[in-house]
Amino acid sequence: MNLHEYQGKDILSSFGVRIQRGYVAKNANEAVAAAKQLTAETGTGWHVIKAQVHAGGRGKGGGVKLAKNLKEVEEIAGQIIGMQLITPQTSAEGKKVHQVLVAEDVYYPGASETKEFYVSVLLNRGTGRNMIMYSTEGGMDIETVAEETPHLIFTEEIDPATGILPFQARRIAFNLGLEGTAFKEMTKFVTNLYTAYVKSDASLFEINPVLKTSDDKIMAVDAKVTIDDNSLFRHKDYLDLRDLREESAIEVEAGALGLNYVDLEGNVGCMVNGAGLAMATMDLIKQAGGEPANFLDVGGTADAARVEAAFRIILKDPAVKAILINIFGGIVRCDRVAQGVIDAYKNMGNIDVPIIVRLQGTNADIAKKLIDDSGLDVMSATEFQEAADKVQSVLA
Ligand code: GDP
Ligand code: MN
């Protein structure tokens, strides 16, 4: 589950990580009230207005702007809320902005220069350990840093038995070129950040930039936080943080029906049981010259109700030109699936794309006969290659 910047910052703050403070606003009036509140609490005269959408690169797309007085807060908030924000990380049509974070300006001048860093916490799947990835090159795309100046990216692996140790926090602060107060602040920052990552069951914390202010405070200016969905049962309070407006509507609907569905760009809809077979089926479609329109794992119980739900989801995608149903009847018998397909097809009434059904496993022969005798416009196949050839022929 991905969080908005303001939600991620709330979590960080609750674990003692210093953040750029702010309040979320849904319209220009609320933004002005938030700005006044921040001025009262922090003394800041300037504010940053930040679009809250699940995408990075907002600054580049005009979704992060500095306001130097309340009139500008009102104007900029009014302009950003409701806009379609296009950033390097969104699709071409962009994302609608429903709310902004009104934050204190933390780039104020002072005794020393401000400096931006990059710090993230994530799982290194190779070693099975969490690691802190960090760089002196904050504020820019980490992908670009990795490509052009990879020697400026450092990693610190953490032993799960001990957690982050003081010498590791000091090494990070040292490699980032800090000294004095800023050095101490950074050790506290990364230690609390790591603890927050573990305790919140996150799978990603990406803080870019981490700012050293002109008075040597270290704080999170941005926060990209992903919580591991499998941990949500023990974080009931995080469930409310989910913003369905940020997710693909069709994926949300499929999820509610208990289907594992991922929307893709292609033209062949897939209905498969089991994630591994679903992946192999997508390869098969590509080999046959098509492009999968989706990943869809209907799970173990491919009965008529589920098959019908899957049909409805697949057919919501107007790009679909054919549907390949590829079911292995191990636990579920093929003849039951075939009957499910026939019932669902009849029930739907208006399927106007060709359907190729490959059923293999227990009672596959009975299933094939059921499909062939059904009188419906459904092609059956028993072999993988045969199914691929049929997909190819209907796409031609
Ligand atoms: P992103 O573009 O989606 O990654 O959004 P960020 O939260 O990282 O903000 C983008 C950029 O806005 C940052 O890299 C900063 O340079 C700038 N910015 C953020 N907060 C402030 C602030 O308080 N004052 C000023 N002057 N600039 C800020
Ligand atoms: Mn950022």
Side-chain angles (χ1 to χ4, degrees):
M1 178 175 74
N2 292 328
L3 302 186
H4 284 295
E5 172 194 0
Y6 76 93
Q7 298 168 328
K9 280 178 165 173
D10 280 349
I11 292 180
L12 297 188
S13 182
S14 73
F15 286 97
V17 178
R18 191 195 293 277
I19 54 161
Q20 174 194 40
R21 286 165 295 180
Y23 293 104
V24 76
K26 289 191 285 296
N27 56 50
N29 287 340
E30 282 183 22
V32 171
K36 285 184 182 159
Q37 176 81 14
L38 274 173
T39 302
E41 287 174 12
T42 70
T44 188
W46 291 3
H47 299 87
V48 219
I49 315 297
K50 313 180 78 179
Q52 297 299 290
V53 291
H54 288 188
R58 295 163 300 164
K60 285 189 189 121
V64 177
K65 288 198 170 140
L66 186 66
K68 297 186 177 171
N69 54 52
L70 290 177
K71 191 162 170 294
E72 286 184 11
V73 168
E74 190 177 359
E75 275 169 18
I76 295 170
Q79 187 192 326
I80 293 181
I81 297 169
M83 81 186 282
Q84 281 293 122
L85 180 62
I86 302 168
T87 85
Q89 293 185 18
T90 65
S91 64
E93 75 250 37
K95 290 204 127 180
K96 176 142 182 138
V97 182
H98 299 282
Q99 48 194 354
V100 290
L101 178 63
V102 179
E104 57 175 335
D105 168 41
V106 285
Y107 288 62
Y108 46 81
S112 64
E113 290 279 301
T114 59
K115 178 120 191 43
E116 292 181 326
F117 304 107
Y118 171 97
V119 180
S120 63
V121 190
L122 68 166
L123 175 67
N124 179 344
R125 289 171 195 276
T127 60
R129 288 185 172 200
N130 292 322
M131 65 181 183
I132 299 175
M133 192 187 286
Y134 60 103
S135 174
T136 49
E137 306 307 287
M140 49 191 284
D141 261 6
I142 197 65
E143 290 80 7
T144 310
V145 181
E147 207 158 289
E148 290 169 8
T149 48
H151 60 284
L152 297 178
I153 298 181
F154 304 89
T155 55
E156 188 71 40
E157 290 231 347
I158 313 294
D159 187 326
T162 60
I164 182 171
L165 293 169
F167 84 89
Q168 296 183 293
R170 288 199 297 271
R171 178 153 62 198
I172 293 170
F174 178 81
N175 284 338
L176 291 174
L178 297 169
E179 42 189 42
T181 309
F183 183 101
K184 271 207 211 118
E185 277 260 326
M186 183 59 86
T187 59
K188 201 174 127 202
F189 183 91
V190 292
T191 304
N192 290 344
L193 188 73
Y194 183 77
T195 308
Y197 173 87
V198 173
K199 293 245 168 88
S200 64
D201 284 311
S203 56
L204 176 71
F205 271 12
E206 187 177 53
I207 317 297
N208 189 21
V210 171
L211 182 73
K212 184 198 80 67
T213 62
S214 60
D215 51 355
D216 286 347
K217 294 192 185 93
I218 300 291
M219 66 170 69
V221 166
D222 193 2
K224 178 173 182 183
V225 169
T226 306
I227 304 291
D228 182 347
D229 288 339
N230 295 314
S231 77
L232 287 174
F233 73 96
R234 58 184 177 207
H235 296 284
K236 297 276 190 297
D237 50 327
Y238 291 172
L239 289 174
D240 295 338
L241 302 181
R242 187 162 177 205
D243 188 347
L244 294 177
R245 294 173 300 190
E246 296 290 325
E247 298 178 26
S248 145
I250 186 165
E251 287 180 16
V252 170
E253 195 180 335
L257 293 167
L259 303 167
N260 287 311
Y261 176 92
V262 181
D263 202 12
L264 300 170
E265 309 274 278
N267 54 1
V268 182
C270 322
M271 193 189 303
V272 188
N273 66 339
L277 187 59
M279 305 286 264
T281 304
M282 288 158 68
D283 286 349
L284 180 82
I285 288 170
K286 281 208 135 191
Q287 255 179 20
E291 283 287 336
N294 64 275
F295 167 97
L296 173 56
D297 172 10
V298 293
T301 48
D303 56 18
R306 269 180 101 70
V307 171
E308 188 175 329
F311 267 135
R312 288 191 193 283
I313 293 290
I314 291 174
L315 288 168
K316 282 196 180 210
D317 181 350
V320 168
K321 296 282 174 286
I323 298 177
L324 172 58
I325 302 177
N326 193 8
I327 305 270
F328 176 73
I331 297 167
V332 56
R333 285 173 7 223
C334 292
D335 53 321
R336 289 203 52 186
V337 178
Q339 196 56 54
V341 171
I342 294 163
D343 292 349
Y345 194 102
K346 284 189 177 150
N347 215 8
M348 300 267 304
N350 56 348
I351 300 179
D352 54 2
V353 298
I355 296 177
I356 298 106
V357 186
R358 177 202 177 232
L359 291 162
Q360 191 53 276
T362 311
N363 292 353
D365 43 349
I366 305 173
K368 184 166 164 44
K369 194 163 161 23
L370 272 172
I371 298 276
D372 291 343
D373 294 350
S374 69
L376 301 177
D377 187 16
V378 177
M379 286 179 249
S380 68
T382 38
E383 297 307 322
F384 226 75
Q385 190 54 49
E386 187 189 352
D389 293 344
K390 288 193 169 157
V391 169
Q392 196 163 25
S393 70
V394 301
L395 288 179

